[in-house]
Amino acid sequence: MAHIQINNLHKQFGDVKVIRDVNLTIDDNEFVVFVGPSGCGKSTLLRLISGLEDLSSGHIKIDGERIDHLPPSKRGIAMVFQSYALYPHMSVYQNMSYALRVAKESKASIDKKVKQAAEVLQLTELLDRKPKALSGGQRQRVAIGRAIVRDPKLFLFDEPLSNLDAKLRVQMRIELTKLHKKLNATMIYVTHDQVEAMTMADKIVVIRDGIIEQVGAPLELYNHPANQFVAGFIGSPSMNFIDVKVIGKSDASLELELKNKTNIHIPCAEVDLHAIGDKMQIGIRPEKLILDEACDAMQDGEVFAVERLGNETYIYMHTATNNEIVLHAAGDKPVTEGDHISVGFKVADCHLFASNGEVVK
Amino acid sequence: MKINKLLMGAVISAGVFSGGIASATDLNFWSWRQEDIKAYEEIIAAFEETHPDIHVTYTAHEATNYNTILTTALAGGAGPDIIHTRSYGSLEQVAAAGYLEPLNDQVDLSTLSADELLGTTLRADGKVYAVPFASQTVLLYVNKDLFDANKVAIPTTWNEFIAASEALKAAGVTPLANGSAAGWTMEIMSGAFMPNFYGKEFFGDVTSGKTDFEDARFVEALEKFSVVKDYMPDGFEGVDYATMQQLFIAGQAAMFVGGSWELPGFTKAGINFDIMPVPSAAGSGMVATFLDGGYGVNAASENKEAALEFIRFTATQPFAQMLTDKLGNVAAVDGAVSSDPMLKKVAGFHNNATPYIMLVAFRFDTPTGSTLLQNGLQELFTGKKTAAEVAKDISDGIKAAE
Amino acid sequence: MSLASDHDIDLIYQKSLRKRKNMRRLWLAFLLLPPILMLLIFVFLPMASAVLYSVYDWKGLVRGEFIGLGNYYDVLFKPRESWFLFNAFKNNVVVFISLMIVQNGLALVLALLLARKPAGYRFYQVVIFLPVILSTVIIGFQWKLFLNPIFGLVNKFLRMVDLDMWALPWLGLPETALGSMILVNTWHWVGFPTLVFLAAIHRIPKDLIEAARLDGANEWRIARDIIWPLMAPAVTIIVVLTFIGSFNWFEIPFIMGSLEGSPAYSTDTLGLLFYRTAFGSVSAGGSNFGAGSALAVLIFIFIFTFSIIVTKYLTSREIEMG
Ligand SMILES: Nc1ncnc2c1ncn2[C@@H]1O[C@H](COP(=O)(O)OP(=O)(O)OP(=O)(O)O)[C@@H](O)[C@H]1O
Ligand SMILES: [Mg+2]
């Protein structure tokens, strides 16, 4: 129900620049996820949109109208906090109806909206309880319910599931996705959880040090990271990086030498930008590494850890040339610590990054 | 070596010295007169010259809590040998509990008047429990310079007093420094003004039960006295003792009603003042007097004989002379001659004096006449009650007292 | 020798368990002893002796005969005494209600303002708290001087701004004396409730206040709907302390007025009445330990019961956070 546009947004606390020149467009009904390392400014960005924090410069527009000068309550935004922030002295009903009561809606209309939201969130039985008497998941639902009853144009979630146990998290994740569909609302969601980001998002925004590194659909980011940071950040376990050196150039490809003296050719659109002798890194996702099979290039090394998850196995190895590599294998792969193994990959599966982190291929 | 010898000498002489003291009798003497420490030490030194075997140590306690400190110590068996007692009701508290030695056959009291002895006599057994030390007189202080400067004559009759006050007021000078914030200063003031109105006989009549405080004389005295409030400072309701003194000393007020104990202070402050009774309609007015206290002996003292020896000394003319010279007191013991003209005047006023009524006669039971009068005067002066209502309250209170 | 049997090990285990339990008890006793002793010496003993004193007739400091509840009857029902008791009690009630409204209300407003961290709030915090650490005696004297009708700063200031009609003898008029003292008390103590309230406000998670702000609440609604209910524990403490303080009010009226609650008993309190009765005063006459003790016992019972009722009632409206 809302189209968000953020232009040249800056925020600094004293001398510390926390948000730097953020430009972002969010479409109606989109579910956008902010990810990035701790302290990169995700929460700050959310709070700037909500109005809980004043921006230093830039614009924020909802449906074409500037809202950055409005007080939080006038922006038509609801926020769900990581701590839930339920009013401890109010019952579930009172918590959910507070905003409506402040807005002086009629008793009947309040009652209708609260009951409706409670129905959707299966809170009907709990309306008279105080937050203290609720489980974590129930509190979470009340926090969401409190947001829903206001019928906002935009929902903001700041790590809403991080206080729940793994199972409940999965459950709430699915419920939230369902809710998003049902409410037809625009949502911005901050998380640390790769799975949440990949499964829930229409669009992921990767932030580093207050700067947006890349925006795109989950699989687009996964398959076509714009730089080495995004490549490394998206995906778990993260992408492997192997040092290479440019030793030759042709019309549309670079000849690269791995440390173990294997040579590979990787197609490259703008060969002229690179010179012989440049240091680069190739990136290969763990699941693209192949064990014990002849490939375009091979890496030998010693296994130092094996994680068996049942249906799959992660093998961690030191290569002879001192890179750490993790590979994904079938659940029953007979490998143990200390084994010497040889892994290979196809040139087609490689990403190539210049020394400044920008993607080459 | 040399140091060693010196030390040895010191030790030996110290031993000899303390040995000498040990054979004398040590007496403790408690009082509330902190301001008089130096004078008392000189007086004690004079006594010790003639009594080398007695050694007296004077200790002054905080005045407002003195009674509590004293009675607590006495109850705990830790009281001093010689006690500076207060008079009338306060003395009775200590004497009635049996803490004081009766003095009638042990001390020559012939140098004291019956009026003065009344202040240290227990009403129950008629015995004297302390040697009266000084009397206080309530009178009027006038700042002569201020009167002169404003060309106002010092009044000699009540009508002149009113006229002078009006003239001073018109000249922008506060006629009277007194305020009503502290109840006791109100009682003092009433002691200076009211006797002239209720007359010489009233004290005898009211103490003998012939009349009570609803007597027309007393009501009328209250009414006439309350006129004075027009001549008190602006905001007199909030003027306390310290402020009154300051107003008079600073020359902001022309008159001050207070006790004779203000004399040394005002003299030291360098004011050109005179003292007089508040003038009556006919002319010379009465002053109110009361006994300030006395010297008694702790009945439980282990050195009773030595203590009595000191008490006998306090009943002699030389002691009274020292009291007069060193402390500026009007000594109770006869025969002291003051070289101070003011003190001489005060003594002269005693020829036309009346007892300071509530302290002398109505501070033995609760509620005391003083509480009743002080509170009543505050109500009268702040306009909360009329003279008749105040008189009735006092009368009822006195009758209910036990 | 054979190895220790299971039975032996059980025995050893039980023994060590017992030993540990004994140690625990010793520790408990050791830790509890000082407070219990303090309670005994400073609360129970004086109370017990007051009760004991109160059932005897006293001649000065000498104990007379046993008279049962005679002293209680005297202080409660004899016309003059009961008038005093009621008058003093009434003043204490006025003091309590006024301090609740003026002192604690002001403290609440100050705390709400300071909680928003205005520029220089640390400075204000110190300034507001400073009088609390000064001695009541000094503050009493200082303000008595300020309120002096002739030399006092208050009236000088009032005259300076042409409010001569307001330049009253504040401490001398029965109508204004108690109120002036209550204001001085407020000046002296307001920093304490302010700091307690401020700490309570800081304890409220920031999220809750931001959530309310997003819910559309303005500053007033946030204060009323969120901060105030969540401050309940601090409010309980302050109400109870104010209650106890008000009914034990002594220093300020003693220093700024007199032992007789000058003028005309308009500033008399239970504390002054007790002191006067028990210890006497120069003009009020001799001490009466019996009546004084009876008063002390009655005052104690009143404060004790009411404090408990107030605490019980107020704690019932407190909510655990989280
Ligand atoms: N009020 C503030 N004053 C000063 N610095 C702040 C303030 N709020 C946040 N910061 C700083 O801004 C940066 C971004 O903080 P922010 O909370 O947005 O990070 P985040 O991405 O949400 O981190 P996390 O994943 O740990 O929640 C951090 O370095 C933080 O220390
Ligand atoms: Mg955050």
Side-chain angles (χ1 to χ4, degrees):
Chain A
M1 286 180 282
H3 172 92
I4 323 289
Q5 184 148 11
I6 299 173
N7 293 329
N8 307 104
L9 188 63
H10 286 266
K11 172 67 185 176
Q12 55 189 71
F13 292 110
D15 291 339
V16 188
K17 293 181 173 145
V18 176
I19 296 295
R20 292 189 274 188
D21 198 25
V22 162
N23 290 284
L24 182 65
T25 307
I26 296 170
D27 290 328
D28 215 8
N29 293 348
E30 225 175 0
F31 195 111
V32 177
V33 172
F34 290 174
V35 294
S38 189
C40 70
K42 305 181 293 289
S43 297
T44 306
L45 189 51
L46 217 55
R47 293 165 59 80
L48 286 170
I49 297 170
S50 72
L52 290 175
E53 212 76 73
D54 292 329
L55 46 76
S56 301
S57 68
H59 297 168
I60 304 172
K61 291 180 185 166
I62 294 185
D63 293 334
E65 290 198 37
R66 272 185 71 176
I67 53 131
D68 44 60
H69 60 284
L70 293 175
S73 56
K74 296 272 153 57
R75 298 186 180 193
I77 291 172
M79 183 156 169
V80 175
F81 294 80
Q82 179 177 1
S83 65
Y84 316 138
L86 299 181
Y87 311 127
H89 55 297
M90 297 187 194
S91 68
V92 170
Y93 186 97
Q94 289 168 323
N95 260 285
M96 287 171 64
S97 62
Y98 184 66
L100 304 178
R101 279 184 286 143
V102 171
K104 298 213 165 66
E105 287 204 21
S106 76
K107 269 217 164 80
S109 136
I110 292 176
D111 199 58
K112 202 176 117 205
K113 287 182 185 172
V114 172
K115 294 263 164 70
Q116 219 162 21
E119 195 71 36
V120 173
L121 294 163
Q122 296 161 26
L123 290 169
T124 313
E125 307 289 302
L126 309 175
L127 283 175
D128 291 330
R129 291 210 199 155
K130 291 267 168 69
K132 198 175 59 173
L134 299 177
S135 74
Q138 288 166 337
R139 285 180 208 187
Q140 182 58 63
R141 291 211 296 274
V142 176
I144 295 169
R146 194 167 63 177
I148 290 176
V149 291
R150 290 180 48 204
D151 193 18
K153 287 187 255 184
L154 171 64
F155 284 89
L156 305 176
F157 296 90
D158 195 349
E159 306 191 35
L161 306 185
S162 59
N163 283 349
L164 303 180
D165 66 45
K167 205 166 159 199
L168 208 51
R169 208 143 67 195
V170 173
Q171 197 184 322
M172 285 303 297
R173 195 168 81 204
I174 293 165
E175 277 184 39
L176 267 176
T177 312
K178 275 202 276 188
L179 195 70
H180 176 230
K181 296 229 169 73
K182 189 150 70 212
L183 293 175
N184 258 336
T186 311
M187 293 184 171
I188 303 177
Y189 190 101
V190 170
T191 184
H192 269 117
D193 188 311
Q194 291 276 341
V195 185
E196 277 174 31
M198 297 301 285
T199 56
M200 297 170 87
D202 294 323
K203 187 150 94 186
I204 293 179
V205 177
V206 183
I207 303 171
R208 175 167 63 152
D209 286 346
I211 294 172
I212 294 185
E213 293 283 345
Q214 192 173 3
V215 180
L219 284 180
E220 190 190 327
L221 296 197
Y222 191 81
N223 293 325
H224 306 289
N227 54 43
Q228 198 176 344
F229 173 76
V230 176
F233 193 79
I234 300 287
S236 171
S238 44
M239 188 182 273
N240 297 299
F241 295 108
I242 298 166
D243 300 324
V244 293
K245 196 163 78 186
V246 180
I247 55 166
K249 301 207 275 190
S250 66
D251 286 352
S253 71
L254 293 171
E255 188 178 1
L256 305 167
E257 184 192 63
L258 276 67
K259 278 199 184 149
N260 63 2
K261 304 296 176 204
T262 324
N263 290 354
I264 52 172
H265 291 266
I266 288 188
C268 171
E270 289 170 86
V271 175
D272 295 343
L273 291 176
H274 308 286
I276 300 219
D278 278 1
K279 294 212 159 105
M280 293 194 172
Q281 289 202 306
I282 53 172
I284 312 126
R285 296 230 174 253
E287 68 272 17
K288 300 291 186 190
L289 286 169
I290 307 155
L291 194 56
D292 299 332
E293 260 177 59
C295 259
D296 296 345
M298 299 301 291
Q299 291 278 304
D300 298 329
E302 187 184 328
V303 175
F304 69 89
V306 179
E307 282 181 354
R308 293 191 183 280
L309 304 179
N311 60 340
E312 52 193 353
T313 302
Y314 291 112
I315 301 164
Y316 295 84
M317 64 180 273
H318 278 301
T319 65
T321 52
N322 238 351
N323 277 314
E324 249 179 43
I325 283 181
V326 54
L327 71 136
H328 180 252
D332 53 359
K333 202 77 190 176
V335 185
T336 52
E337 243 171 81
D339 284 359
H340 285 267
I341 55 169
S342 178
V343 298
F345 56 87
K346 295 189 184 122
V347 167
D349 292 331
C350 283
H351 302 263
L352 179 61
F353 303 100
S355 54
N356 65 2
E358 288 302 311
V359 71
V360 178
K361 185 226 145 194
Chain B
M1 263 321 206
K2 228 180 183 174
I3 291 170
N4 261 347
K5 265 190 191 161
L6 266 175
L7 271 178
M8 206 114 106
V11 169
I12 291 166
S13 65
V16 170
F17 188 63
S18 63
I21 294 268
S23 68
T25 312
D26 282 317
L27 295 179
N28 278 311
F29 177 11
W30 281 12
S31 172
W32 72 91
R33 309 285 296 204
Q34 284 166 316
E35 60 275 34
D36 296 348
I37 289 183
K38 205 175 141 278
Y40 271 104
E41 277 171 356
E42 288 167 17
I43 293 171
I44 286 166
F47 170 76
E48 284 172 355
E49 239 166 64
T50 53
H51 298 83
D53 53 336
I54 301 177
H55 180 73
V56 183
T57 311
Y58 178 85
T59 311
H61 294 277
E62 202 268 309
T64 48
N65 286 315
Y66 177 66
N67 277 7
T68 311
I69 294 168
L70 177 68
T71 42
T72 310
L74 287 171
D81 306 288
I82 303 165
I83 300 169
H84 203 171
T85 71
R86 301 211 210 237
S87 48
Y88 309 105
S90 294
L91 175 100
E92 189 160 291
Q93 258 188 73
V94 185
Y99 293 130
L100 293 178
E101 180 76 7
L103 303 178
N104 291 61
D105 302 326
Q106 314 195 57
V107 178
D108 175 13
L109 299 168
S110 61
T111 52
L112 293 143
S113 74
D115 256 6
E116 281 154 345
L117 285 172
L118 203 63
T120 54
T121 303
L122 185 59
R123 293 177 306 167
D125 62 7
K127 286 188 178 153
V128 173
Y129 283 88
V131 171
F133 88 98
S135 67
Q136 299 292 356
T137 309
V138 178
L139 32 76
L140 181 68
Y141 293 78
V142 295
N143 183 329
K144 288 197 283 190
D145 289 351
L146 261 184
F147 272 83
D148 286 352
N150 292 286
K151 307 209 167 44
V152 179
I154 291 175
T156 55
T157 66
W158 178 245
N159 285 340
E160 281 179 30
F161 176 85
I162 298 288
S165 299
E166 289 291 351
L168 288 165
K169 209 170 152 185
V173 176
T174 305
L176 195 57
N178 294 58
S180 73
W184 71 269
T185 66
M186 283 304 288
E187 186 183 357
I188 295 278
M189 196 157 70
S190 75
F193 283 95
M194 288 176 64
N196 285 338
F197 300 127
Y198 60 60
K200 194 138 197 156
E201 284 72 42
F202 180 70
F203 179 81
D205 291 351
V206 78
T207 47
S208 66
K210 234 192 208 169
T211 186
D212 59 17
F213 281 98
E214 284 184 88
D215 190 298
R217 283 174 286 177
F218 191 74
V219 177
E220 201 192 321
L222 279 173
E223 245 154 35
K224 289 198 167 151
F225 171 38
S226 70
V227 170
V228 168
K229 98 176 144 190
D230 289 343
Y231 310 121
M232 288 158 67
D234 277 346
F236 68 87
E237 298 95 332
V239 170
D240 61 2
Y241 182 49
T243 309
M244 291 158 46
Q245 286 180 313
Q246 217 170 329
L247 283 173
F248 187 67
I249 289 173
Q252 282 179 259
M255 293 180 278
F256 179 99
V257 174
S260 43
W261 59 85
E262 308 283 2
L263 282 170
F266 288 166
T267 309
K268 215 156 100 201
I271 318 164
N272 181 17
F273 69 95
D274 200 359
I275 49 173
M276 57 197 272
V278 171
S280 71
S284 70
M286 283 189 280
V287 293
T289 60
F290 62 91
L291 180 71
D292 208 5
Y295 306 105
V297 172
N298 183 351
S301 168
E302 285 170 9
N303 308 308
K304 219 184 271 181
E305 194 36 54
L308 278 169
E309 192 54 33
F310 185 80
I311 297 302
R312 281 177 204 120
F313 168 63
T314 65
T316 62
Q317 191 275 338
F319 178 85
Q321 190 63 48
M322 280 191 273
L323 214 57
T324 310
D325 294 343
K326 293 185 193 297
L327 288 172
N329 282 325
V330 179
V333 173
D334 297 337
V337 185
S338 179
S339 53
D340 183 88
M342 286 292 173
L343 280 183
K344 259 192 214 158
K345 264 192 184 177
V346 174
F349 296 154
H350 284 214
N351 298 327
N352 191 13
T354 179
Y356 184 53
I357 187 164
M358 292 304 188
L359 170 58
V360 172
F362 297 101
R363 262 200 214 175
F364 296 92
D365 306 306
T366 43
T368 64
S370 291
T371 330
L372 294 165
L373 178 62
Q374 290 176 14
N375 179 54
L377 290 173
Q378 279 185 338
E379 287 175 325
L380 181 66
F381 275 60
T382 53
K384 272 187 84 178
K385 283 190 179 162
T386 64
E389 286 168 333
V390 168
K392 181 168 166 34
D393 285 350
I394 295 172
S395 180
D396 289 350
I398 297 279
K399 283 174 188 161
E402 51 193 84
Chain C
M1 280 270 121
S2 67
L3 286 168
S5 68
D6 277 359
H7 181 70
D8 291 338
I9 291 170
D10 274 354
L11 276 184
I12 291 168
Y13 174 73
Q14 270 164 17
K15 218 167 140 185
S16 85
L17 196 72
R18 232 176 298 140
K19 213 165 156 186
R20 261 186 296 162
K21 265 193 182 159
N22 283 339
M23 268 313 270
R24 225 175 92 84
R25 282 201 195 118
L26 259 163
W27 263 107
L28 272 178
F30 174 74
L31 291 173
L32 282 177
L33 208 60
I36 288 176
L37 271 179
M38 298 252 279
L39 220 65
L40 266 177
I41 294 170
F42 293 112
V43 179
F44 185 75
L45 275 183
M47 249 354 270
S49 60
V51 170
L52 193 72
Y53 289 174
S54 70
V55 292
Y56 286 93
D57 191 20
W58 288 75
K59 301 252 177 297
L61 285 172
V62 183
R63 202 169 79 182
E65 61 196 288
F66 177 83
I67 53 164
L69 295 178
N71 285 320
Y72 291 90
Y73 178 85
D74 284 356
V75 297
L76 282 172
F77 301 114
K78 274 186 21 189
R80 208 182 144 74
E81 276 70 7
S82 76
W83 182 87
F84 273 126
L85 186 62
F86 177 78
N87 176 60
F89 180 78
K90 184 200 75 197
N91 287 339
N92 284 115
V93 171
V94 169
V95 169
F96 173 61
I97 293 173
S98 314
L99 288 182
M100 280 303 297
I101 295 170
V102 179
Q103 176 175 300
N104 296 342
L106 180 64
L108 185 64
V109 171
L110 287 173
L112 286 169
L113 291 178
L114 285 175
R116 310 183 61 188
K117 310 203 168 167
Y121 77 100
R122 276 187 191 286
F123 173 74
Y124 295 126
Q125 211 165 305
V126 172
V127 167
I128 291 167
F129 194 72
L130 215 56
V132 174
I133 59 174
L134 294 177
S135 105
T136 311
V137 180
I138 291 172
I139 284 177
F141 273 116
Q142 202 60 51
W143 274 97
K144 198 175 167 177
L145 286 181
F146 288 163
L147 289 168
N148 185 299
I150 293 165
F151 311 111
L153 287 181
V154 174
N155 283 0
K156 274 199 178 142
F157 173 78
L158 287 170
R159 288 196 193 98
M160 209 171 70
V161 296
D162 277 343
L163 282 171
D164 296 47
M165 48 185 286
W166 284 95
L168 298 172
W170 299 103
L171 294 173
L173 295 177
E175 296 81 20
T176 55
L178 190 62
S180 308
M181 291 180 193
I182 288 169
L183 288 181
V184 170
N185 193 89
T186 300
W187 185 87
H188 182 11
W189 283 110
V190 71
F192 181 71
T194 304
L195 237 62
V196 173
F197 289 155
L198 193 59
I201 294 173
H202 283 324
R203 248 174 51 103
I204 298 172
K206 230 176 86 204
D207 285 359
L208 285 184
I209 293 175
E210 293 185 336
R213 192 160 287 148
L214 280 170
D215 273 347
N218 56 22
E219 296 304 318
W220 156 243
R221 291 292 301 251
I222 290 175
R224 194 194 75 179
D225 298 344
I226 311 296
I227 297 177
W228 172 248
L230 295 180
M231 279 171 64
V235 172
T236 305
I237 291 170
I238 292 302
V239 170
V240 172
L241 287 181
T242 306
F243 178 79
I244 295 173
S246 301
F247 280 88
N248 282 328
W249 214 46
F250 181 82
E251 287 106 321
I252 295 257
F254 177 63
I255 293 158
M256 300 187 68
S258 70
L259 203 46
E260 273 82 32
S262 182
Y265 301 110
S266 62
T267 61
D268 201 11
T269 65
L270 292 173
L272 294 174
L273 178 62
F274 158 75
Y275 191 95
R276 250 187 357 250
T277 311
F279 301 109
S281 77
V282 176
S283 43
S287 67
N288 184 343
F289 262 38
S293 300
L295 268 178
V297 171
L298 289 174
I299 295 170
F300 176 82
I301 290 173
F302 171 75
I303 292 178
F304 187 75
T305 349
F306 253 77
S307 300
I308 285 180
I309 292 172
V310 170
T311 313
K312 276 255 161 70
Y313 169 72
L314 288 177
T315 357
S316 71
R317 60 173 276 273
E318 287 174 16
I319 320 101
E320 279 168 44
M321 257 182 258

